[in-house]
Amino acid sequence: QVQLVESGGGLVQAGGSLRLSCAASGSIFSIDAMNWYRQAPGKQRELVATITSGSSTTYTDSVKGRFTISTNNAKNTVYLQMNSLKPDDTAVYYCNWVVRANLFASPNNYWGQGTPVTVSA
């Protein structure tokens, strides 16, 4: 089992910055990808950013140039640096890890508990 604990959300004014963290514990043999999703009130959950085991990153268009996904050297924590925040970025942010328990295992998805981000105008 893998546990993901998120931190770093909060209230910020438009134009401000926040950094979200998602720390993993438990048994992980390998990581396929680490993702950040968000879900705004009344909307579907959307994929915001991805970083693969090879450190390749992708972003949804609305956050390109403003958000940066990264990991620490131990690859047990993933971050989302959010700059130039806009009211439209207001949502609950969730980390998602796609990992394998051993060489022959299928990938499993694990989710953090969610951390709210509110951007005021």
Side-chain angles (χ1 to χ4, degrees):
Q1 279 286 13
V2 174
Q3 294 78 40
L4 301 178
V5 178
E6 300 179 34
S7 60
L11 173 64
V12 64
Q13 288 188 330
S17 298
L18 285 173
R19 189 174 84 151
L20 307 183
S21 299
C22 173
S25 61
S27 179
I28 297 175
F29 174 78
S30 65
I31 301 170
D32 285 10
M34 293 174 274
N35 305 298
W36 284 98
Y37 285 78
R38 66 186 179 187
Q39 187 165 19
K43 295 188 177 180
Q44 289 190 329
R45 190 172 296 190
E46 68 166 338
L47 178 60
V48 175
T50 296
I51 185 166
T52 67
S53 59
S55 298
S56 174
T57 59
T58 56
Y59 300 91
T60 191
D61 285 347
S62 62
V63 308
K64 284 179 181 176
R66 301 189 297 122
F67 290 12
T68 303
I69 188 170
S70 63
T71 65
N72 62 351
N73 287 337
K75 294 201 173 178
N76 56 14
T77 303
V78 62
Y79 304 99
L80 186 68
Q81 177 67 44
M82 305 185 294
N83 298 329
S84 303
L85 283 160
K86 305 175 181 179
D88 283 351
D89 296 318
T90 295
V92 177
Y93 285 71
Y94 298 89
C95 62
N96 161 251
W97 290 40
V98 184
V99 304
R100 298 173 192 260
N102 59 65
L103 182 62
F104 305 105
S106 298
N108 283 322
N109 272 278
Y110 294 94
W111 292 87
Q113 80 279 12
T115 186
V117 171
T118 303
V119 184
S120 62

